[in-house]
Structure formats: structure tokens, C-alpha cells
Amino acid sequence: MLPHLIPHRAALLALALAAVSPVAEARDLPAAELRALKYYVETGDRRSASAELARLKARYPDWAPPNDLTRIGSGASATDGPGDEANRVWRLIEIGNLEAARGRLDHLKAVHPDWQPPAEMEELLSLAETQAAFDGAIAAGDAPAAIAAVRANPSILRCDRVNNAWQLATMQHKTGDTGAALATYRGVLGSCTDTGVLVATLQKAHSIGTPADTRTLAEFARARRPAARASIDTAEAQLLGAGDAAPSAPARTATARPASRAVAAPSTPPARTVPVAPEAGATPPRGALPDTGDARVASVREAARAGAWAQCLDRSTAPRSVDVLYERGWCAYNQNRSLEALAAFRTVSTSGLDAVVRRDARFGMILAFLANQMTEDAARLAATTDLTDEQRLQVEAVILDQRGVRAFQQDDFRGSITYLDALERLTGGIRRDLAIMRAYAHLNAGDRRTAYRQFEDLHDQLATPETRKGLNAARG
């Protein structure tokens, strides 16, 4: 709940509690000490607020609360910024409560006029708001609104969000503007590097254009992405076929796909063991934060080593040095606050800390990208980072996992099989849910024999309703 939208009952509570100690505050307490009292006041919990107020007065005899408890903590934050309050914005963005996140951010900027929100925070919020507007327009079939959303923030057409471009092209075609739809597909072919995306885009363009359009787009894609020439040539030949006619797709029945998309849910990266930064010598400040100097670093590291992620975040509120921000990044990541972690790691990766720490910060960025399904961003960063063998194995496995799942969801069954086979070769095995999905991919690609064999192997290992359905579907 935003402080400036506190309900009337909370306002009455603040006045009632203020009457207990009408003396103007002599000093303010640390933000961490006041967090519980602020929460109770904002939610109108009079009993808890009274108990917390009594505890604080007993612990800090020389402290007098302000007359208006809704302003509690304003003295400390006026110069230091909103501190832990800013973390609520990150959390609201992560859970998709964008209206509350925007309101909270606007409020913090008004209360702390000298505070500059992290650029990553504003960018992520703006992108999330645009995505929500675009999704709403697509669901409503409102082409002008969808196009307006894209113009407001073209970032939603990035390659890691390629489905947005495909949805936009579909809507453009449905409204009769096939030329604009083909131009959208051309934009994807000119911007993206993933071979599976290029082939899928060419297939979608072929379904609405002429054979000549397909040839033109294929030639454009080859010129822009020579490394994908072989795949593009194969896709073009299959699409045009004999006499420029696209080959008919194999028949698909309801049983030719998993009963639930849950089996295709991308995996999330495993919890990361925190790499502890070595003690760094005195270095000159870089940017907004010095590399070292926050006296809390030992306490923060202690909590991180113990896996006490919430305690680590509490101890590292409003970091005053990059080494503390680094530890906080790992704690935020392991607490499922990957967007906050991404912003922290981005800062650390260009700091003056040890080269190993900067590398591990880039590794953290890659994991945060993957946690948010930003697979291609992760792949690009991994390609330019000298990861350890263990780190690279972990990253490449998740990338192949996500690409395989995404290809299946986009009906690129051959691509899905390629990615999942590569994952199996890389790791020496494959999760059961992915193995089932791969068998369905073979079935939907028309290879019933391979599909049946894979379902049979899975059924022999562990007979389940899923494997029985797969076997029945593969028998035809």
C-alpha cells in the first residue's frame, strides 16, 4: 500500500499513537529499525504498532517519535534516499503489480527529490508496462493500440521477446495489411541470430506471403546471417517444394501433443553457491559507489555464506560500496529477486574489483537473464565472457533447455529435437519431462517410429499415464 494512499483508519491510528508522545522527534532511527513500525501504521494494525512503538522507546530512550507517524523515518531518508523502500519497487515489478510499482516509484521520487532511481529499475518498469499494454491490445484484437505500444517502446520487439513481433505480424495480416506483416518478419530476420528463430520466422512469413516473398526474405536472411545459411536453405526448399508449393504438414490430433504444456515449462537455474569476493585494497571510487568502504561487508558475507538470503538483504540495504552490492546481488538472486540481482551484477561487472569477481558478476547476469527467460541475452553475454568450465556447462545446459522448450512451443519441432539432443550430449542425460516433450516433437514432426521408440523406453523405465498416452498417440 502506498504511504500517500493510507486509508482513513490508518490516519486515525497515526493521530492516536502520536498523542502518546507529542514531543517533536529529536533524531531518527536507522531505516531497518523503523521498518516494522512503518508497516503496522500503513496497514492500520493499531495493537502491533503500539507494541512496536513501546519496544523502540524502551530500546532508544532518547528517541521521540514524530507527531505524525505516517512520516516515520523521513529524517533518515531525506539525505540517504529511500533505502529499503526501493526494494519494494523491484519486488512489485517482479510479481507484475505494475500499477503499484509505478505509484511507489513516483512517491519515492517525490519524497526524495535528490534521489535518482537506478536506470535499470525505470527501464524494466517501462518495458513491463509496455508489454502489459501490448498483451492487452493483442487479446482485444486492437491493432492500433498494439502498434502504439510498440512505437512507445520498441524494446518489446527485441529478439528475446520475438513472440511479440510474431503476434504483431499476425494482427497486421488479420487487419489486411500483409505488407506491414512481412516488414515485421523482415525486421526479425535482420535483427535476430538464433537459427531456430530465423527458420520459424521464414515459415510464418511464407504462410501469408507469395513464393516470391519467401525467396526474397530467405535471401535477405542469408545475407544478414551467413552462419545460418544451411538451415535457411533447407527451410526455403521445404517451404517452396516442387512447383513452389509448400509441403503439406503432417496431420495432428489432440493426442499428438502433451496433454498439458506443463511438461514444456522451462527450467530455472539452480540455486547459486555464493562466490565470496576477496578482500580488496583501497581503490578510487567509480561511479556512484566506491569499490570498497562499506563497514558492513563482513556481516553481509557472513549471512551470504550461511545461505541466509533474507538476512543478507537486510544487512546490505542501500549498499555503500560495490563489494557489498556484489554480495547483495547473489542474495537477491537466490531469494528469487532476479531483476534486482541483474542490476547489481551489471554495476559490479564494470567496477574496479578483482577480475574474478567481475567475471562472476557477469556469470550472475547470465543466470538472471535466464531466470527471466531472456535466453538470447544470456547467450550473447556468455559468448563474450571467460567463464569457468563449470559455469559454462551450467549456462549452456540451461540455454539449450530453454531453446528446446521455446522451439516446441513455437511448433518448430525439428529445432526442438536438435536443441534437446544437444542438451543430452552436453550433460550426459535429459530430464524426464524434456524427454517426453522430445518424443512428442518427433511425433508432431511426422517421425512416429522414433516417437514410439522413445515413449517405449520411457514407459519401460517408469510406466505412467503420460507414457501410455504417448504410446497410444505414436501408434496412430
Side-chain angles (χ1 to χ4, degrees):
M1 182 178 295
L2 304 182
H4 62 293
L5 296 179
I6 294 175
H8 183 59
R9 62 174 181 159
L12 292 176
L13 168 64
L15 291 174
L17 290 175
V20 175
S21 180
V23 182
E25 69 179 316
R27 68 181 182 90
D28 215 335
L29 302 182
E33 283 284 17
L34 296 170
R35 189 179 300 118
L37 181 58
K38 287 166 64 69
Y39 174 77
Y40 296 140
V41 170
E42 289 183 11
T43 57
D45 187 345
R46 177 176 180 141
R47 177 176 297 180
S48 298
S50 297
E52 181 63 9
L53 185 62
R55 184 190 72 81
L56 290 172
K57 291 176 68 177
R59 183 170 182 179
Y60 302 98
D62 61 336
W63 172 71
N67 291 327
D68 181 1
L69 288 185
T70 63
R71 295 174 58 82
I72 198 80
S74 59
S77 60
T79 56
D80 298 336
D84 198 48
E85 286 295 302
N87 294 332
R88 296 177 64 183
V89 179
W90 288 112
R91 184 56 182 160
L92 289 168
I93 295 173
E94 274 200 285
I95 65 177
N97 194 343
L98 305 181
E99 185 176 353
R102 176 60 67 185
R104 169 66 59 177
L105 180 58
D106 290 345
H107 171 75
L108 293 179
K109 290 164 72 173
V111 173
H112 308 281
D114 295 330
W115 174 66
Q116 287 294 324
E120 184 79 10
M121 177 185 288
E122 296 199 289
E123 290 171 8
L124 286 171
L125 179 55
S126 176
L127 185 62
E129 289 172 328
T130 305
Q131 184 67 62
F134 179 82
D135 290 342
I138 292 294
D142 188 343
I147 294 170
V150 170
R151 287 175 177 168
N153 193 341
S155 294
I156 68 167
L157 296 185
R158 294 181 322 198
C159 293
D160 59 280
R161 295 171 181 254
V162 70
N163 195 53
N164 289 338
W166 289 341
Q167 287 182 311
L168 178 63
T170 298
M171 177 165 285
Q172 289 169 327
H173 174 61
K174 286 181 178 178
T175 59
D177 196 349
T178 300
L182 291 171
T184 298
Y185 288 134
R186 181 184 175 91
V188 174
L189 294 172
S191 303
C192 300
T193 58
D194 185 274
T195 301
V197 169
L198 298 178
V199 171
T201 301
L202 198 60
Q203 291 169 341
K204 292 175 184 296
H206 178 77
S207 69
I208 67 169
T210 65
D213 292 327
T214 300
R215 292 194 192 91
T216 299
L217 290 174
E219 188 56 39
F220 173 73
R222 278 189 289 267
R224 294 299 298 268
R225 309 295 172 204
R229 173 178 289 274
S231 297
I232 294 170
D233 287 347
T234 300
E236 181 184 23
Q238 290 176 341
L239 291 171
L240 296 178
D244 286 346
S248 58
R252 297 178 186 167
T253 65
T255 55
R257 296 177 181 270
S260 169
R261 285 287 184 179
V263 302
S267 61
T268 55
R272 166 79 169 120
T273 301
V274 180
V276 179
E279 293 290 344
T283 54
R286 296 171 63 96
L289 291 176
D291 291 332
T292 61
D294 191 329
R296 300 172 298 171
V297 64
S299 174
V300 173
R301 284 177 179 162
E302 180 185 12
R305 288 191 186 100
W309 314 126
Q311 190 175 44
C312 168
L313 291 171
D314 185 59
R315 292 180 182 181
S316 62
T317 297
R320 296 188 287 273
S321 65
V322 178
D323 52 0
V324 167
L325 180 66
Y326 172 70
E327 303 293 345
R328 182 179 178 83
W330 285 114
C331 295
Y333 172 78
N334 284 302
Q335 195 73 351
N336 296 319
R337 289 159 59 165
S338 54
L339 296 177
E340 180 183 351
L342 179 61
F345 290 137
R346 194 186 301 277
T347 298
V348 178
S349 69
T350 59
S351 72
L353 293 181
D354 183 273
V356 173
V357 176
R358 295 198 305 273
R359 179 204 63 200
D360 284 349
R362 288 170 69 88
F363 175 55
M365 288 176 64
I366 295 167
L367 293 183
F369 278 136
L370 292 172
N372 286 281
Q373 297 299 307
M374 300 169 69
T375 315
E376 301 315 313
D377 290 274
R380 281 192 292 272
L381 185 56
T384 59
T385 302
D386 186 20
L387 298 171
T388 67
D389 290 344
E390 180 183 355
Q391 289 171 343
R392 189 161 299 282
L393 176 63
Q394 180 179 349
V395 165
E396 290 182 356
V398 179
I399 288 173
L400 288 170
D401 182 327
Q402 293 187 356
R403 283 176 170 171
V405 170
R406 184 170 300 147
F408 185 91
Q409 292 171 333
Q410 294 167 354
D411 292 350
D412 178 14
F413 302 115
R414 295 290 184 190
S416 180
I417 293 165
T418 298
Y419 288 130
L420 296 179
D421 284 349
L423 174 61
E424 187 173 40
R425 289 192 299 271
L426 177 69
T427 62
I430 189 172
R431 293 199 322 270
R432 185 176 175 86
D433 61 327
L434 294 180
I436 291 175
M437 187 181 72
R438 181 175 59 180
Y440 274 110
H442 278 289
L443 180 57
N444 283 319
D447 188 354
R448 288 183 176 274
R449 179 176 298 179
T450 301
Y452 186 86
R453 185 175 66 251
Q454 292 187 357
F455 280 126
E456 188 175 39
D457 289 343
L458 290 163
H459 192 73
D460 289 343
Q461 294 167 12
L462 178 64
T464 66
E466 282 183 320
T467 55
R468 290 190 188 91
K469 289 179 182 177
L471 285 170
N472 291 333
R475 285 192 189 100

